Amino acid sequence: MIRYKSESEIEAIRHGGRILRQALELVTRHCVPGVRTQELDQMAEQYIRDQGGKPSFKGYRGFPGSLCISVNEEVVHGIPGRRKVRQGDLVSVDCGVTWEGFVADSATTIAVGEVEPELQKLMDVTREALYLGIDQARPGRFIRDISKAVQDHVEKHGFTVVRDLVGHGVGYSVHEEPQVPNFVGPRKGPKILPGLVIAIEPMVNVGTSDVVMLEDRWTIVTRDRLPSAHFEHTIAVTENGPRILTNGD
Ligand code: MG
Ligand code: MG
């Protein structure tokens, strides 16, 4: 069942979303060669708590970090640790912030220094796909319209969308209905109505769309170990169209 949000609830999600965006900007500034992913995690957690928020992912189903940090072939759910970031890496950082009980969810992919042109294109296409998907989040359309906009853009550029993981409703908890796939399936999905709050999150691979889980039971990597990128925003559907709640406004 989809639980639609009131205007005041959307405001609470947006407030947390602003803290979240600032935390991601802080991490982006510090994501330089030699930094350990656990250092990035600790600075984000400290910042979120200093602002009166809570890191939504910490302890969620036992996840140990405040951020998911996924490097290169890691797609999502990477655990922060002693790994050092290196020049040329693609570092995907996913963060959730809970503010007065309401959850916002957003992710970005950071290029560490100069990256190969193919990786820069992967990042650009993934970000563009996110915004094309967001633009479909209008009353009267269907979840599948979002999925189609994302998939079409990604595949037009020769990349692939991950199918084993999808976007989702968010706000009262980290994951709610509906699912928001990045590919077109047999069903249209629910009709989009005002008050819908969803996380749209294309996960895009250079090679195969297939992914596997590592032995840590969290980290998802591409089956061919080629790189992956991930961008995500939490958005609310209004009468006038989508409103991004995690862009810092
Ligand atoms: Mg996320
Ligand atoms: Mg998400």
Side-chain angles (χ1 to χ4, degrees):
M1 190 188 77
I2 298 173
R3 299 167 73 201
Y4 297 90
K5 277 75 181 179
S6 69
E7 279 187 31
S8 64
E9 291 171 338
I10 289 170
E11 269 313 296
I13 299 167
R14 187 196 56 76
H15 189 101
R18 187 162 56 195
I19 298 169
L20 196 170
R21 178 57 40 201
Q22 290 162 350
L24 287 181
E25 287 174 2
L26 178 72
V27 165
T28 300
R29 287 197 297 279
H30 288 86
C31 191
V32 295
V35 73
R36 295 186 196 275
T37 57
Q38 66 191 14
E39 297 178 77
L40 299 174
D41 184 66
Q42 283 158 8
M43 76 178 65
E45 177 172 1
Q46 188 64 51
Y47 181 81
I48 292 164
R49 293 195 191 281
D50 285 349
Q51 302 305 309
K54 281 200 311 193
S56 318
F57 299 166
K58 188 138 192 170
Y60 179 76
R61 296 181 180 169
F63 188 77
S66 294
L67 304 176
C68 299
I69 303 182
S70 310
V71 182
N72 298 334
E73 77 282 1
E74 297 173 354
V75 180
V76 288
H77 303 166
I79 300 172
R82 294 182 54 75
R83 180 176 186 162
K84 286 181 177 174
V85 167
R86 293 185 308 182
Q87 161 73 30
D89 280 348
L90 277 197
V91 181
S92 296
V93 182
D94 196 347
C95 183
V97 169
T98 304
W99 170 262
E100 293 187 346
F102 292 92
V103 179
D105 185 8
S106 182
T108 191
T109 297
I110 303 160
V112 182
E114 283 270 302
V115 298
E116 290 171 39
E118 176 81 344
L119 296 186
Q120 186 61 52
K121 186 180 163 200
L122 175 72
M123 288 177 60
D124 293 344
V125 167
T126 307
R127 191 191 298 103
E128 290 158 9
L130 168 60
Y131 284 98
L132 290 166
I134 290 171
D135 191 55
Q136 293 296 318
R138 296 172 182 280
R141 297 190 191 174
F142 290 84
I143 292 295
R144 185 162 69 179
D145 295 316
I146 298 172
S147 307
K148 183 175 187 333
V150 170
Q151 182 178 21
D152 284 355
H153 188 68
V154 168
E155 293 183 352
K156 188 171 77 184
H157 290 278
F159 298 128
T160 62
V161 290
V162 172
R163 289 157 183 267
D164 288 1
L165 300 139
V166 296
H168 50 91
V170 66
Y172 299 124
S173 64
V174 172
H175 291 110
E176 300 173 22
E177 290 186 43
Q179 293 196 346
V180 184
N182 296 304
F183 58 93
V184 173
R187 290 179 297 148
K188 284 201 286 194
K191 194 181 226 182
I192 294 169
L193 298 171
L196 180 71
V197 176
I198 49 175
I200 302 175
E201 52 176 317
M203 289 153 265
V204 177
N205 297 351
V206 166
T208 180
S209 63
D210 291 350
V211 296
V212 291
M213 185 187 282
L214 296 185
E215 281 177 0
D216 64 16
R217 308 291 294 161
W218 279 107
T219 313
I220 305 289
V221 300
T222 55
R223 185 178 290 283
D224 56 14
R225 303 302 198 267
L226 290 176
S228 185
H230 181 210
F231 285 87
E232 173 181 34
H233 273 308
T234 294
I235 66 113
V237 177
T238 75
E239 299 284 355
N240 302 319
R243 180 176 177 205
I244 301 175
L245 304 178
T246 47
N247 63 359
D249 287 349

